Structures are given as structure tokens and as C-alpha cells.
Amino acid sequence: MKKFKGLAMLGFDKIGWIEKEVPKVGPTDALCEPLSISPCTSDVHTVWERALGDRHDLILGHEASAKVVEVGALVKDFKVGDKVIVPAITPDWEAVESQAGFSQHSHGMLNGWKFSNEKDGTFGEVFHVNQADGNLAHLPDSINIEDAVMLSDMVPTGFHGANNAEVAYGETVVVIGIGPVGLMAVAGSVLRGAGRVFAVGSRKKCQEVAKYYGATDLVNYKDGDIVDQIKDATGGKPVDKVIIAGGGLETFGQAVKLIRPGGIVSNINYLGTGDAIEIPRIEWGLGMGHIRIIGGLMPGGRKNMEYLAQVLINKRLDVSPLLTHRFNKLEDLEEGLLLMKDKPRDLIKPVITL
Ligand code: NAD
Ligand code: ZN
């Protein structure tokens, strides 16, 4: 049996290179070889915050652009050699949850998230894709393989935050946390027509890029209570929407304190630690304020990837400012992942192009 190499979670707090047997390709599946890969903060939650529980020898990673190297007999639209965009979330499309519009949870909570959760991820010489016709998208010539990796997870997650917040023309939106996901939530909110956009973050590099994507106001959470800072800036007026893309459980209370009756708190942050979220009773309108709180895993799937690709092709969005650290060997993934863990001040996102 042929073997391949990948960077794996060996157990809690431990990563390392391992060899595994090349996965079998079922009739509707594909086997891909990564062209470009990027580590995600979610990999950090999984390994070092122990967020998903123990995993042994699980190859990490869920972001990649790739080349198809094998397809199952029933795959119709992809063939060996095709360049593809690979979404981080690859649902089972026949599941009733998918039919209900929540493919992220096909066959159970978060079960659409397969790479680096249920099965080996994209940090290997090859990786397996279930239901290839539904879960891959052709990579258009005008999108380079590095930008394409941002379509796997960063763009769809940030945009999902803005979509779930139902951002509308002229609204005031606060984005808490401006790593790459929050930055894409800023960009997504602006594309949906937001008026004023507060970006909450402390690192200068992220603040600069937030401005580039259309943030109108920068708030540093290290300079004091963000609720006070934002209320000062709005003259005490509540905001319409809050998107949470960083920080801990305390951000929900802050969001509820900031928001108007009928507003929406949209979380896309992966809550890796802590037990319960506290919602302030009075600001939540004594339970009657019509303030909605929603949290969502990004939607994967081919259609989403094809539409998001159009946003890049037609130059509505430039993802290149996210790519701050570039590497060119599979082995560099280890350094890339450790960068994501340690978050040096000039880092937004590392990308490894093979
Ligand atoms: P990131 O760590 O690069 O960015 C988060 C930023 O928030 C960091 O710069 C951090 O310093 C900052 N921060 C910390 N405390 C803060 C506070 N109190 N207020 C404001 N900012 C604060 O992470 P990322 O890659 O941008 O991802 C953001 C989150 O989204 C992560 O938890 C990630 O796992 C998660 N994620 C979710 C999905 C999804 O489908 N919902 C997909 C991908 C990633
Ligand atoms: Zn991710």
C-alpha cells in the first residue's frame, strides 16, 4: 500500500510528521494533492486548547487549493489534473440537515467539518475529498493558487459572519477580533453596504488592513472597555450589528451591551475554552429585547466556492493583504502553524505554496 506524509496532531499539545496509507477513493470521492495550503487558528484551538478532545495521529489542516490526482467512478465534473478550490467544510449533501439548509451539520452537530476533525486534513502530500462534485469547485485561471486558499475558510467564514448579522445598507457594525476571519467580516460587511464599521483589535498590522477593507473606526481593546469606547464614539447610540471573530466568552456580554433592540450578534469565533456564556439581563431587554444571538460554522460546498470566486474574479475583494508570511515547502507547514499559534505582531496569515 502506498504511503504519504503529513503534519499531524500526535496528541494534546503535540504536532509532528507521520506517514499514513493513501486513503481509498470511493465512487463519488476524489484524492487531491495540495498546491497551496494555510494553517488556521482552528488548528491551534484543536491542538493546544484541546477544544475537540483528544486526537491521535490526525493530519491537521482544512485550507488548500489543490490538483485532483484520482477520482471515483461516479464523479462527473472533475478529472485528474484539474485545479480546484477546496472548502474547509465538506458536507454530506444527502443528509436531512443539509436539506434543511444547515449542511455544516450534516449527520450531526458540526459534522460537515471533516478535514482535521473527523478525518485527515489538507496538511499532507495528498488528502481525500468526499462527494467531489458537491464539495470541489474548479479554480478559475484568473485566481492564483495562494489567493484561492483564502476561499477555503477565511472569506467564507468572515462573509458568513456578515450574512448571519444580516448587515444592511448604512448600518453600524462592530467586528470584534480582526485576525484574518474578522478582516473578512469587515470586508463582507462593507460589501453588504454597511455604513460605519468599528474594527476592534490591537495589532497595528491588522488595524491597517482593517482600514484597507473599509473599517471607519479602530478600537483597541487593550485601551479599556470597548463598550465605553464605542459608545463614546457613537454619542451613546447603540449599534445595529456585532460580529464576533476573536476574544473569549466575555465578548458576548460586550456585544449585547452595544446593540440596539432587534439587533443581531453574529459569532464566527471558535470558542475553544470556557464553559458558559453570560448574557447581561438588563441590556438583553430583560429577555424581551429582540436581540438575536447566532453562531455559525462556515458553509462549504461547491456553489458557495463558485460564488465567492466571482467576488475575487470581478475584483470586489483582494485577499492578498491577508497573506503576510509566504513559504514554499511542505515541511514549512510546521513553522507556519507555530506562527499561527504565537501570532507575531506582523502576522495575519501564512501560506505555503508547493
Ligand atoms: P486570530 O487569532 O488570527 O484573530 C483573532 C484576533 O482577536 C487575534 O488577533 C487576537 O489577538 C484578537 N483578540 C483577542 N482578544 C480579543 C478581544 N478581547 N477583543 C478583540 N480582539 C481580541 O484568528 P482568526 O484566524 O482570524 O480566526 C478567528 C476565529 O474564528 C478563531 O477562533 C477561529 O478558530 C475561528 N474560525 C471559525 C470558523 C467558522 O467556521 N466559524 C472558521 C475559521 C476560523
Ligand atoms: Zn479554519
Side-chain angles (χ1 to χ4, degrees), residues 39-43 62-63 88 113 153-154 157 181 349:
C40 176
T41 306
S42 301
D43 296 306
H62 46 263
E63 302 181 16
W113 174 14
D153 190 359
M154 299 298 100
T157 301
V181 166
K349 194 85 178 162

mmCIF file of all heavy atoms in Angstrom, residues 39-43 62-63 88 113 153-154 157 181 349, ligand 2:
data_model
loop_
_atom_site.group_PDB
_atom_site.id
_atom_site.type_symbol
_atom_site.label_atom_id
_atom_site.label_comp_id
_atom_site.label_asym_id
_atom_site.label_seq_id
_atom_site.Cartn_x
_atom_site.Cartn_y
_atom_site.Cartn_z
ATOM 1 N N PRO A 39 -2.277 27.258 7.395
ATOM 2 C CA PRO A 39 -2.731 26.857 8.733
ATOM 3 C C PRO A 39 -3.784 27.844 9.246
ATOM 4 O O PRO A 39 -3.807 28.998 8.828
ATOM 5 C CB PRO A 39 -1.469 26.945 9.601
ATOM 6 C CG PRO A 39 -0.350 27.317 8.702
ATOM 7 C CD PRO A 39 -0.921 27.833 7.424
ATOM 8 N N CYS A 40 -4.623 27.366 10.151
ATOM 9 C CA CYS A 40 -5.744 28.173 10.650
ATOM 10 C C CYS A 40 -5.682 28.223 12.177
ATOM 11 O O CYS A 40 -5.196 27.285 12.824
ATOM 12 C CB CYS A 40 -7.050 27.517 10.197
ATOM 13 S SG CYS A 40 -8.543 28.286 10.814
ATOM 14 N N THR A 41 -6.232 29.282 12.729
ATOM 15 C CA THR A 41 -6.332 29.386 14.189
ATOM 16 C C THR A 41 -7.127 28.203 14.760
ATOM 17 O O THR A 41 -6.897 27.791 15.891
ATOM 18 C CB THR A 41 -6.999 30.720 14.567
ATOM 19 O OG1 THR A 41 -6.267 31.758 13.932
ATOM 20 C CG2 THR A 41 -6.997 30.954 16.063
ATOM 21 N N SER A 42 -8.034 27.645 13.969
ATOM 22 C CA SER A 42 -8.798 26.491 14.443
ATOM 23 C C SER A 42 -7.879 25.291 14.719
ATOM 24 O O SER A 42 -8.103 24.541 15.667
ATOM 25 C CB SER A 42 -9.876 26.103 13.424
ATOM 26 O OG SER A 42 -10.739 27.199 13.217
ATOM 27 N N ASP A 43 -6.822 25.117 13.893
ATOM 28 C CA ASP A 43 -5.850 24.048 14.171
ATOM 29 C C ASP A 43 -5.195 24.292 15.534
ATOM 30 O O ASP A 43 -4.897 23.340 16.261
ATOM 31 C CB ASP A 43 -4.762 24.010 13.086
ATOM 32 C CG ASP A 43 -5.309 23.663 11.701
ATOM 33 O OD1 ASP A 43 -5.984 22.629 11.585
ATOM 34 O OD2 ASP A 43 -5.068 24.415 10.739
ATOM 35 N N HIS A 62 -7.263 22.393 6.974
ATOM 36 C CA HIS A 62 -8.516 22.311 6.218
ATOM 37 C C HIS A 62 -8.602 23.407 5.161
ATOM 38 O O HIS A 62 -9.658 23.685 4.636
ATOM 39 C CB HIS A 62 -9.718 22.360 7.171
ATOM 40 C CG HIS A 62 -9.601 23.435 8.201
ATOM 41 N ND1 HIS A 62 -9.135 23.206 9.466
ATOM 42 C CD2 HIS A 62 -9.846 24.746 8.132
ATOM 43 C CE1 HIS A 62 -9.104 24.323 10.151
ATOM 44 N NE2 HIS A 62 -9.529 25.291 9.360
ATOM 45 N N GLU A 63 -7.462 24.035 4.872
ATOM 46 C CA GLU A 63 -7.457 25.088 3.858
ATOM 47 C C GLU A 63 -6.461 24.695 2.776
ATOM 48 O O GLU A 63 -5.310 24.414 3.079
ATOM 49 C CB GLU A 63 -7.038 26.418 4.483
ATOM 50 C CG GLU A 63 -7.944 26.838 5.623
ATOM 51 C CD GLU A 63 -7.552 28.175 6.231
ATOM 52 O OE1 GLU A 63 -6.788 28.930 5.608
ATOM 53 O OE2 GLU A 63 -8.028 28.461 7.333
ATOM 54 N N ALA A 88 -13.194 24.330 3.364
ATOM 55 C CA ALA A 88 -12.831 23.710 4.647
ATOM 56 C C ALA A 88 -13.930 22.766 5.126
ATOM 57 O O ALA A 88 -13.658 21.778 5.811
ATOM 58 C CB ALA A 88 -12.597 24.792 5.696
ATOM 59 N N TRP A 113 -17.844 19.430 9.020
ATOM 60 C CA TRP A 113 -16.406 19.734 9.188
ATOM 61 C C TRP A 113 -15.664 18.413 9.341
ATOM 62 O O TRP A 113 -15.672 17.813 10.405
ATOM 63 C CB TRP A 113 -16.229 20.627 10.413
ATOM 64 C CG TRP A 113 -14.801 20.902 10.777
ATOM 65 C CD1 TRP A 113 -13.693 20.685 10.006
ATOM 66 C CD2 TRP A 113 -14.330 21.446 12.015
ATOM 67 N NE1 TRP A 113 -12.572 21.062 10.686
ATOM 68 C CE2 TRP A 113 -12.929 21.535 11.907
ATOM 69 C CE3 TRP A 113 -14.961 21.871 13.186
ATOM 70 C CZ2 TRP A 113 -12.148 22.027 12.950
ATOM 71 C CZ3 TRP A 113 -14.178 22.360 14.214
ATOM 72 C CH2 TRP A 113 -12.795 22.441 14.099
ATOM 73 N N ASP A 153 -11.611 29.080 3.652
ATOM 74 C CA ASP A 153 -12.080 29.255 5.019
ATOM 75 C C ASP A 153 -12.218 30.731 5.420
ATOM 76 O O ASP A 153 -13.243 31.149 5.965
ATOM 77 C CB ASP A 153 -11.089 28.527 5.950
ATOM 78 C CG ASP A 153 -11.551 28.408 7.387
ATOM 79 O OD1 ASP A 153 -12.627 28.900 7.711
ATOM 80 O OD2 ASP A 153 -10.831 27.802 8.192
ATOM 81 N N MET A 154 -11.189 31.552 5.142
ATOM 82 C CA MET A 154 -11.196 32.929 5.653
ATOM 83 C C MET A 154 -12.323 33.766 5.051
ATOM 84 O O MET A 154 -13.078 34.420 5.774
ATOM 85 C CB MET A 154 -9.833 33.598 5.402
ATOM 86 C CG MET A 154 -8.676 32.897 6.094
ATOM 87 S SD MET A 154 -8.844 32.886 7.897
ATOM 88 C CE MET A 154 -9.471 31.243 8.222
ATOM 89 N N THR A 157 -15.879 32.278 5.979
ATOM 90 C CA THR A 157 -16.223 32.436 7.396
ATOM 91 C C THR A 157 -16.534 33.898 7.711
ATOM 92 O O THR A 157 -17.549 34.205 8.349
ATOM 93 C CB THR A 157 -15.079 31.921 8.296
ATOM 94 O OG1 THR A 157 -14.854 30.553 7.982
ATOM 95 C CG2 THR A 157 -15.424 32.042 9.756
ATOM 96 N N VAL A 181 -10.053 36.229 9.859
ATOM 97 C CA VAL A 181 -11.503 35.990 9.798
ATOM 98 C C VAL A 181 -12.262 37.304 10.033
ATOM 99 O O VAL A 181 -13.158 37.678 9.259
ATOM 100 C CB VAL A 181 -11.918 34.910 10.829
ATOM 101 C CG1 VAL A 181 -13.420 34.887 11.014
ATOM 102 C CG2 VAL A 181 -11.418 33.536 10.377
ATOM 103 N N LYS A 349 -1.714 35.955 8.061
ATOM 104 C CA LYS A 349 -1.915 34.568 7.635
ATOM 105 C C LYS A 349 -0.683 34.059 6.898
ATOM 106 O O LYS A 349 -0.211 34.704 5.960
ATOM 107 C CB LYS A 349 -3.144 34.580 6.716
ATOM 108 C CG LYS A 349 -3.740 33.260 6.410
ATOM 109 C CD LYS A 349 -4.713 32.762 7.436
ATOM 110 C CE LYS A 349 -5.268 31.442 6.945
ATOM 111 N NZ LYS A 349 -5.886 30.647 7.970
HETATM 112 ZN ZN ZN B 2 -10.172 27.201 9.774
#
